[in-house]
């Protein structure tokens, strides 16, 4: 890719950073000239990738499972409770999560490349800037939670679901600000490969969350109110525990305390964060829209319940791919920051191969247990039958949506957010959504039609990302990464600044 995706101009000379050893490589990998070279480098890169991806997959699965477990218990409270939580979790919280994670991905690019170049002192400053921006963003998004009921009624959701989901949204406002605190911390720790602590904290939170959700929602009969209490507590537990780890001095030069420097260059950081948010939000909202459109079908409660169970399972699988997403983002950003373009390029090849294999394995497991898994998520036989009918589509999604997030991680690591945002909008909302609506409503294919159309949009986007990665000039990307580091750390000598 002769990348025009970053407005930062190139340096006229290429300099390998003195602290390139932060990535674990003193030099770039040699050119691969044969099968033996490929397999040797594949094994080396696989170890580095899975050193990051294993704990990150565990972390993302645990964090996603907090809401998914609450949704599972809601399915045993009642069909309206399940529909209400699904709408709140997918539409309201999903919207907020998309904004938060999206804006946080700017931090992922900057921290990863700064770490690769040995600019350790900038990581804490970047995290604090991101906190400022995300907490202000949270204050703005809070109105979405407060006025959730009239907004859901405005877009055509049924009155019972809208009122129940709106009440749930008010209870979940603390989670919104936990998102704003958590994701900058996560990117800060990921860039340094300090991921085991995130895994341990997330695992403890999941165990506590599962027990107390069962206790409050089912045993004590508190229903959705009990679920909201536990879900808010679980997210804030993770935030506080991670901050205790950081403040204990374990991050060395990366955290030197709170600094007024975090308020410098805020507007430029906002613009970069906004581009990142657009890129990831359109992906997150795509599945939110799938559940939303199901609410317009006949027998909406069953349609929403069945689709929410499928997206719940798909979400768990996507958490696996998001572990690869975060890992490849760290690998690419670190290697580009250290001036290792060939290593960065080869990392992309390795992650795509692994993402495909994992997606196929998950799809096979789902098909094998297709008669058993619907009963885990709902007591209603009608809902179980609807889920069973959607299993083939769900299996196809597991493969495609395992590759796509890994490729998005490459884009984040390289800093291509702005260009990928335009591609996502075109593939998802100009092509995928209209096709899904035509197939679902005009052709009367129902939920299957909506899903097939939108899945086609995802396939087109994935093909385009593969083509972009194949055509990328990685030597140029390494030069751009060096220039980006100088720009954001305030160093002089950036051409065109």
């Amino acid at each position: 890719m002769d990348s025009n995706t970053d407005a930062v101009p190139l340096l006229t000379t290429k300099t390998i950073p003195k602290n390139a050893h932060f990535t674990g490589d003193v030099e770039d990998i040699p050119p691969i000239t044969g099968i033996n070279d490929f397999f040797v480098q594949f094994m080396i890169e696989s170890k580095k990738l899975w050193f990051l991806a294993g704990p990150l997959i565990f972390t993302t699965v645990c964090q996603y499972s907090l809401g998914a477990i609450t949704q599972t218990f809601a399915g045993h409270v009642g069909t309206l409770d399940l529909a209400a939580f699904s709408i709140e979790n997918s539409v309201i919280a999903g919207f907020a999560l998309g904004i938060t994670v999206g804006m946080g991905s700017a931090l992922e690019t900057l921290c990863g490349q700064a770490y690769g170049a040995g600019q350790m002192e900038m990581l804490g400053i970047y995290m604090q800037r991101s906190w400022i921006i995300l907490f202000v963003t949270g204050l703005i998004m809070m109105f979405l939670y407060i006025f959730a009921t009239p907004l859901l009624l405005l877009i055509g959701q049924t009155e019972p679901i809208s009122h129940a989901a709106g009440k749930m949204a008010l209870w979940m406002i603390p989670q919104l600000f936990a998102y704003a605190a958590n994701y900058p911390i996560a990117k800060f720790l990921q860039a340094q490969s300090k991921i085991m602590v995130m895994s341990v904290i997330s695992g403890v939170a999941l165990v506590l969350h599962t027990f107390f959700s069962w206790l409050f929602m089912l045993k004590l009969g508190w229903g959705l109110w009990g679920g909201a209490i536990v879900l808010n507590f679980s997210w804030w537990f993770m935030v506080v525990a991670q901050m205790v780890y950081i403040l204990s001095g374990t991050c060395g030069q990366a955290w030197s305390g709170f600094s007024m420097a975090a308020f410098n260059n805020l507007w430029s950081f906002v613009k970069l964060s906004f581009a990142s948010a657009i890129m990831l939000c359109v992906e997150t909202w795509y599945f939110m829209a799938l559940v939303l459109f199901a609410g317009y079908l006949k027998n909406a409660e069953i349609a929403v319940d069945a689709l929410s169970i499928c997206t719940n399972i798909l979400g768990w699988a996507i958490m696996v791919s998001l572990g690869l997403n975060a890992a490849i983002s760290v690998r690419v950003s670190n290697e580009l920051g250290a001036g290792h373009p060939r290593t960065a390029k080869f990392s992309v090849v390795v992650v795509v191969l692994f993402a495909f294999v994992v997606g196929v394995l998950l799809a096979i497991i789902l098909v094998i247990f297709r008669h058993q898994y619907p009963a885990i998520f709902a007591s209603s036989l009608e809902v179980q039958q609807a889920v069973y009918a959607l299993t083939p589509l769900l299996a196809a999604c597991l493969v495609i949506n395992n590759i796509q997030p890994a490729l998005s991680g490459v884009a984040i690591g390289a800093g291509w957010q702005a260009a990928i945002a335009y591609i996502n909008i075109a593939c998802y909302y100009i092509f995928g959504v209209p096709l899904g609506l035509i197939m679902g409503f005009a052709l009367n294919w129902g939920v299957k039609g909506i899903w097939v159309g939108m899945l086609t949009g995802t396939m087109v986007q994935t093909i385009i990302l593969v083509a972009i990665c194949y055509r990328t000039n990685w030597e140029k990307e390494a030069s751009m990464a060096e220039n980006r580091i100088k720009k954001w750390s305030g160093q002089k000598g950036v051409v065109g600044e």
Side-chain angles (χ1 to χ4, degrees), residues 111-399:
C111 281
Q113 293 186 358
Y115 182 81
Q119 298 284 341
M120 298 292 293
E121 67 281 356
M122 292 306 300
L123 272 65
I125 302 297
Y126 291 153
M127 179 172 65
Q128 292 172 62
R129 284 179 190 166
S130 190
W131 275 337
I132 294 167
I133 293 168
L134 289 182
F135 272 102
V136 172
T137 304
L139 290 172
I140 297 170
M141 289 193 295
M142 188 169 64
F143 290 99
L144 175 66
Y145 284 66
I146 294 172
F147 298 104
T149 295
L151 287 172
L152 290 171
L153 289 170
L154 181 65
I155 60 177
Q157 293 297 301
T158 65
E159 190 165 331
I161 291 178
S162 296
H163 283 287
K167 186 183 294 185
M168 184 70 184
L170 288 173
W171 295 339
M172 294 310 301
I173 289 176
Q175 183 192 49
L176 169 64
F177 292 97
Y179 286 162
N182 179 71
Y183 285 100
I185 296 173
K187 305 310 178 187
F188 171 82
L189 293 173
Q190 283 175 22
Q192 306 167 68
S193 299
K194 293 183 179 295
I195 48 182
M196 287 306 299
V197 65
M198 297 168 57
S199 298
V200 172
I201 292 171
S202 299
V204 172
L206 179 60
V207 172
L208 294 174
H209 180 81
T210 303
F211 171 74
F212 284 107
S213 294
W214 167 81
L215 179 65
F216 283 24
M217 295 182 72
L218 300 182
K219 187 68 174 178
L220 298 179
W222 290 15
L224 290 184
W225 167 239
I229 292 173
V230 178
L231 195 51
N232 285 320
F233 172 82
S234 298
W235 274 97
W236 275 105
F237 168 79
M238 291 189 297
V239 170
V240 172
Q242 289 174 133
M243 276 307 301
V244 169
Y245 175 80
I246 292 171
L247 295 175
S248 67
T250 53
C251 295
Q253 291 181 328
W255 177 258
S256 55
F258 295 96
S259 172
M260 292 301 294
F263 291 91
N264 297 336
N265 209 14
L266 267 181
W267 180 240
S268 295
F269 206 94
V270 168
K271 290 190 289 185
L272 183 62
S273 297
F274 186 69
S276 302
I278 293 175
M279 173 191 160
L280 289 185
C281 282
V282 293
E283 296 181 10
T284 304
W285 297 341
Y286 200 48
F287 289 99
M288 176 189 77
L290 186 58
V291 176
L292 193 63
F293 293 145
Y296 301 135
L297 296 169
K298 294 178 181 179
N299 201 1
E301 197 170 297
I302 298 299
V304 169
D305 284 356
L307 198 53
S308 68
I309 289 170
C310 290
T311 55
N312 192 352
I313 294 169
L314 182 60
W316 261 315
I318 288 177
M319 290 307 106
V320 176
S321 63
L322 286 182
L324 291 171
N325 169 291
I328 191 60
S329 175
V330 172
R331 292 290 302 131
V332 169
S333 61
N334 282 181
E335 297 297 346
L336 289 178
H340 300 157
R342 285 195 300 271
T343 305
K345 180 179 181 179
F346 193 72
S347 297
V348 177
V349 175
V350 174
V351 79
V352 170
L353 290 174
F354 275 121
F356 175 75
V357 171
V358 170
V360 170
L361 289 176
L362 291 173
I364 291 172
I365 292 171
L366 182 79
V367 172
I368 291 173
F369 294 100
R370 63 189 180 279
H371 296 290
Q372 291 79 27
Y373 79 87
I376 298 173
F377 297 93
S379 301
S380 168
L381 290 177
E382 194 172 2
V383 173
Q384 291 179 27
Q385 291 170 355
V387 172
Y388 175 78
L390 292 172
T391 296
L393 270 176
L394 180 55
C397 271
L398 290 176
V399 178

